[in-house]
Amino acid sequence: MDDGSDAPKAELTATPGSSPSENADAREPNTEGTGTEDDSSVDEEDDGADSSVDEADSRADSSAQPDEETDESADDAPMPGVPDPESEESDVPEDVQKYARFTKMDGAQYDRVNEFLRDRTYVTAREWAIARLCSDFRTETGVEMTKIGENLPELVPFMTDTYSPQAVNQARSSFEEKVRKSGATFLYGAMCDFFTAEELDDVMYESTEVAKFLLEVEGVDLSVEDELEAEERISSVMREVREASQELREQEEE
């Protein structure tokens, strides 16, 4: 019969003593072992790639480090054409560094100093400062005009520019000329009987006060005794000048 012959055909491929499900599992390919081997090989490749990247980064860092050191050394190196501040300080002579004549004028502006002097004297701030420097930097061979001019801003706070030796000499000569003319003018006023004795004393007192103030600004410490003695000597000399000039005029009239 046909119904009995079909059933045994379905079991022909089955293994004796095993169920159909077990035979089906046996027929499936074993992919589990293959998958594990593939994953391990992929991990090894990834580890190798990571180590290669790390090595490349380390080589890049090591190659970049000398460049950074070079950049730092280049920053520390002096730029061409730019003066080195340390070398400039060392170039200043020792006597210039120790010079403290105008320390009371720190922060003063040239225009203010010049205005003060022009209201009370015939000299300018430039002539006053350079005259004092010529007196302080005088040697047996002459005045050190080159040193004064090159270090003028370090010596005098209100002077901002350096001077050539010729400019220093010009200011010095101008100061000397004005002092001589002022002296001649003053003596003429005292000798021509233009001032009375009391008026002449007042002129001398005012002149002495201005001169003392300038000396104090320069750092000269004058005691009261020295001031009184100087004033008395000047007044005495001027009285003698006035008396001598009066006698001279009387002789001419005779």
Side-chain angles (χ1 to χ4, degrees):
M1 293 178 64
D2 296 335
D3 296 335
S5 60
D6 293 337
K9 289 180 180 179
E11 298 176 358
L12 290 177
T13 58
T15 305
S18 62
S19 63
S21 61
E22 292 175 353
N23 290 316
D25 294 338
R27 290 193 300 271
E28 292 180 358
N30 187 7
T31 58
E32 184 177 359
T34 306
T36 303
E37 293 176 356
D38 294 340
D39 292 341
S40 62
S41 62
V42 171
D43 292 341
E44 292 177 356
E45 292 177 357
D46 292 341
D47 294 341
D50 292 340
S51 63
S52 299
V53 172
D54 293 340
E55 292 178 358
D57 292 340
S58 63
R59 287 194 299 270
D61 293 340
S62 62
S63 62
Q65 185 175 0
D67 295 337
E68 294 177 356
E69 294 177 355
T70 303
D71 294 339
E72 292 178 357
S73 61
D75 294 339
D76 296 336
M79 297 179 63
V82 178
D84 189 1
E86 296 181 357
S87 62
E88 286 185 351
E89 293 179 358
S90 61
D91 292 340
V92 177
E94 184 177 358
D95 55 350
V96 173
Q97 296 179 9
K98 295 180 179 180
Y99 191 78
R101 179 69 73 181
F102 294 93
T103 54
K104 293 182 179 181
M105 303 295 291
D106 288 343
Q109 299 295 324
Y110 178 87
D111 293 339
R112 296 292 301 274
V113 178
N114 194 57
E115 182 181 358
F116 175 86
L117 289 172
R118 295 303 296 266
D119 289 342
R120 294 163 178 83
T121 68
Y122 279 117
V123 299
T124 64
R126 174 181 70 102
E127 294 164 349
W128 168 48
I130 290 181
R132 166 51 67 181
L133 294 175
C134 289
S135 176
D136 292 338
F137 288 90
R138 182 185 291 115
T139 63
E140 295 179 357
T141 58
V143 178
E144 298 177 293
M145 295 187 182
T146 301
K147 178 185 290 187
I148 293 173
E150 291 178 351
N151 300 280
L152 192 56
E154 287 77 17
L155 294 168
V156 184
F158 56 83
M159 300 295 291
T160 58
D161 295 330
T162 59
Y163 275 37
S164 65
Q166 293 77 11
V168 173
N169 186 51
Q170 181 182 3
R172 174 178 174 271
S173 299
S174 178
F175 177 85
E176 181 180 357
E177 181 181 1
K178 289 180 178 180
V179 170
R180 291 181 180 276
K181 289 182 177 181
S182 299
T185 304
F186 175 75
L187 284 177
Y188 173 76
M191 295 176 65
C192 72
D193 204 21
F194 179 83
F195 295 105
T196 64
E198 291 77 10
E199 290 174 343
L200 189 60
D201 288 340
D202 291 340
V203 172
M204 287 301 306
Y205 175 78
E206 293 175 0
S207 301
T208 304
E209 288 299 311
V210 174
K212 287 193 305 182
F213 178 78
L214 294 179
L215 291 175
E216 291 174 355
V217 170
E218 295 173 358
V220 178
D221 188 12
L222 295 176
S223 63
V224 178
E225 293 78 9
D226 293 338
E227 292 181 7
L228 294 176
E229 182 181 358
E231 291 177 1
E232 179 60 29
R233 290 175 61 184
I234 294 174
S235 298
S236 176
V237 170
M238 294 310 303
R239 283 194 295 267
E240 293 178 0
V241 170
R242 186 174 183 278
E243 293 175 358
S245 62
Q246 185 175 2
E247 292 177 0
L248 181 61
R249 289 194 304 272
E250 292 177 351
Q251 292 177 0
E252 291 179 352
E253 289 177 357
E254 294 177 355

